[in-house]
């Protein structure tokens, strides 16, 4: 699983940073969180193809978080995407897409499904993962998300199965999928031949928000937490006024949520160099990374 | 007067080229022709300020020519622009702007005036210049534009005025503004102390189009003609199908229109290097330049 930062600037782009776009690539599927202007150019630079299964989650309906969807749709169309595209976001995303597709004459040759997010809870659930939403605290309706992998079965030890006389083939498969098998009248349990269940990874994405108790609970135990850090704490007043989070607050929230790793992103254009913000958050949390456009982090289980 | 290329790619951006945006800077005023995705980033790189008088002309309502307006509006708003912004474009530009300002909650703190272009003729006329529109031939309603400076008075020669006994001050001003003056009962004409009237510059911008007879007439005698050149001529079929122009056709049209200088832009992503297109057009025209993102041409009178 990879976490890729395509745009890490807040509100205004800079020469080095594009507007919000954070991606997770997992087993060939893309999870895109926000797509500000320039997302399609960043997509090209990242080398993502145009026809990957993709789910796109919008945290809130501000232009710097969703205008890039239009260019993605156009490039996917011109590149003859056939895979459906699932879009999730607050009310308004439907009108935004419909009005632009109408006025710009964009008619994607693939299915675009729009799912309105209007409450906390799972917005996607498959056998392998869920995506969960939680209301965040910004100037308009907004959501944070978690991609939560479901626990994976423990590792299978073939030598243990053989030593217990279990024949390779359908019997192994039954054990691997959680069923007991009987060998010469003796019952063999999956736990006899497999390690402990492996927890899935949890990756949280804050979007634009003030830090809240609700988000602290929501992000509890995340392996990776991508949290907005628009300002340094000496601009706390400005963070309150514009409903953003300071680096110190992001570090403190991540620490209280016991998130294993914190990645700061969404930096105000005044913080050209994010290292001071990383230092500030590091006073509260032991594993802080500052995102830059093009940063890719390999997430291990 | 400066001609600046902010985005020179057709339809799909590349790692080196952004989407359509061509600017003219004249006496501190900006004339922007189309603003595809990424225009605000290119604006920052070009060092244009956010509060210059500005007129923005849209050639047609395809996303790669107008989505960037949204980011420009947002950045101008955040940078507290106060100057009005005049937008000109075909029907649909009004709904495009209104729908996005509504769904994205963009409320610029400056006046945005939308002028629908629906016929050939002048769309702006001031004492110093006109902007003229002409229907072009693309898949949707589309226009080409010319920025045409009005002729400027000839150069004033103070030494000639002095030798004729004309006192410096209001008499000079009268001569400079086209009036006769009388000195010791002798009439002095403006032509006695001034050179010939200097023609203004004419700069043409094609937008996306097939080459047409009408455009050849429209662009007749342009000092600078910025013409789309999406394909090389071996892709002529594709140009016909998608209603674009090949480099050879652009060169031939510019030659027949007796445009002094031709600049090719709007290159298909397959033409990574525009030099072959420049060579192709150069067979028909003696002054051909290939645009690249960031290219600035000083236009002399």
């Amino acid at each position: 699983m990879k976490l890729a930062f395509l745009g890490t600037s807040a509100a205004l782009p800079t020469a080095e940073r594009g507007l919000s776009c954070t991606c997770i690539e997992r087993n060939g599927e893309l999870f895109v969180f926000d797509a500000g202007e320039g997302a399609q150019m960043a997509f090209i630079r990242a080398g993502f193809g145009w026809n990957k299964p993709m789910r796109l989650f919008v945290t809130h309906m501000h232009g710097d978080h969703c205008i890039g969807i239009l260019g993605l749709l156009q490039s996917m169309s011109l590149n003859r995407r056939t895979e459906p595209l699932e879009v999730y976001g607050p009310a308004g995303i439907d009108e935004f897409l419909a009005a632009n597709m109408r006025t710009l004459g964009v008619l994607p040759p693939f299915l675009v499904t729009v799912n309105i997010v209007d409450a906390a809870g799972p917005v996607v659930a498959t056998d392998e993962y869920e995506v969960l939403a939680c209301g965040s605290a910004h100037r308009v309706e907004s959501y944070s998300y978690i991609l939560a992998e479901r626990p994976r079965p423990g590792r299978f030890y073939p030598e243990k199965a053989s030593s217990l006389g279990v024949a390779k083939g359908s019997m192994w498969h039954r054990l691997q999928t959680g069923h007991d098998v009987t060998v010469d009248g003796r019952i063999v349990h999956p736990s006899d031949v497999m390690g402990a269940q492996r927890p899935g990874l949890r990756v949280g994405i804050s979007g634009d928000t003030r830090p809240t108790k609700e988000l602290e609970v929501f992000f509890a135990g995340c392996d990776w937490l991508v949290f907005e850090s628009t300002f340094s704490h000496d601009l706390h007043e400005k963070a309150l006024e514009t409903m953003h989070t300071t680096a110190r607050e992001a570090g403190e929230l991540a620490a209280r949520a016991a998130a294993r790793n914190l990645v700061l992103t969404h930096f105000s254009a005044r913080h050209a160099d994010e290292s001071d913000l990383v230092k500030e958050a590091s006073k509260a949390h032991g594993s802080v990374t500052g995102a830059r456009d093009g940063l890719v982090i390999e997430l291990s289980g």
Side-chain angles (χ1 to χ4, degrees), chain A:
Chain A
M1 202 145 110
K2 276 181 198 167
L3 179 58
F5 293 86
L6 268 53
T8 60
S9 190
L12 293 170
T14 70
E16 288 80 33
R17 297 185 192 273
L19 294 169
S20 288
C21 188
T22 303
C23 298
I24 299 172
E25 193 174 13
R26 180 190 181 279
N27 288 352
E29 183 175 8
L30 283 176
F31 303 78
V32 179
F33 298 88
D34 290 328
E37 184 173 358
Q40 63 167 326
M41 291 76 158
F43 238 68
I44 293 169
R45 283 192 292 270
F48 293 140
W50 293 114
N51 204 31
K52 280 205 169 68
M54 177 166 154
R55 300 182 193 272
L56 198 162
F57 302 86
V58 175
T59 60
H60 66 294
M61 292 304 301
H62 278 162
D64 52 318
H65 289 252
C66 60
I67 283 171
I69 301 173
L70 306 177
L72 287 174
L73 285 178
Q74 184 162 22
S75 282
M76 288 171 172
S77 300
L78 287 167
N79 284 291
R80 300 203 174 79
R81 180 182 177 92
T82 53
E83 282 287 325
L85 174 70
E86 295 272 352
V87 180
Y88 306 79
I93 183 68
D94 42 354
E95 189 193 342
F96 170 75
L97 290 177
N100 281 296
M101 287 161 82
R102 187 173 63 244
T103 55
L104 304 177
V106 177
L107 291 169
F110 51 92
L111 186 65
V112 178
T113 311
V114 178
N115 308 271
I116 300 297
V117 177
D118 59 3
V123 292
V124 182
T126 74
D127 287 351
E128 296 189 3
Y129 59 79
E130 283 186 310
V131 178
L132 310 163
C134 175
S136 52
H138 196 44
R139 302 192 301 279
V140 294
E141 185 183 358
S142 59
Y143 295 92
S144 297
Y145 296 99
I146 292 175
L147 170 61
E149 289 185 309
R150 296 192 190 279
R152 291 169 297 158
R155 207 174 297 277
F156 178 75
Y157 299 106
E159 64 286 4
K160 286 196 183 178
S162 299
S163 73
L164 292 171
V166 186
K168 196 171 172 176
S170 63
M171 301 260 273
W172 282 25
H173 180 71
R174 281 191 60 76
L175 284 165
Q176 285 162 348
T177 53
H179 304 279
D180 294 344
V181 297
T182 306
V183 177
D184 303 331
R186 220 175 355 99
I187 293 174
V188 179
H189 305 287
S191 58
D192 297 332
V193 297
M194 290 173 74
Q197 197 185 52
R198 291 168 291 181
L201 282 179
R202 288 176 88 81
V203 185
I205 310 279
S206 73
D208 290 10
T209 187
R210 288 288 305 145
T212 65
K213 186 72 198 166
E214 196 180 352
L215 287 180
E216 187 184 314
V217 172
F218 180 60
F219 288 130
C222 273
D223 298 283
W224 291 86
L225 175 56
V226 179
F227 212 94
E228 76 124 295
S229 170
T230 309
F231 301 111
S232 57
H233 203 70
D234 58 328
L235 293 166
H236 185 234
E237 280 300 313
K238 195 134 187 74
L240 284 170
E241 180 197 322
T242 56
M243 300 198 75
H244 285 296
T245 298
T246 69
R248 183 163 114 188
E249 290 172 330
E252 289 170 353
L253 185 143
R256 285 194 301 267
R260 277 174 51 211
N261 304 283
L262 171 64
V263 186
L264 302 181
T265 186
H266 197 271
F267 305 117
S268 162
R270 77 192 72 200
H271 298 300
D273 176 358
E274 78 286 359
S275 61
D276 287 345
L277 301 180
V278 171
K279 269 184 221 154
E280 190 176 297
S282 296
K283 289 182 186 161
H285 194 284
S287 168
V288 184
T289 304
R292 288 176 179 242
D293 287 23
L295 173 69
V296 177
I297 301 177
E298 291 282 349
L299 309 184
S300 49

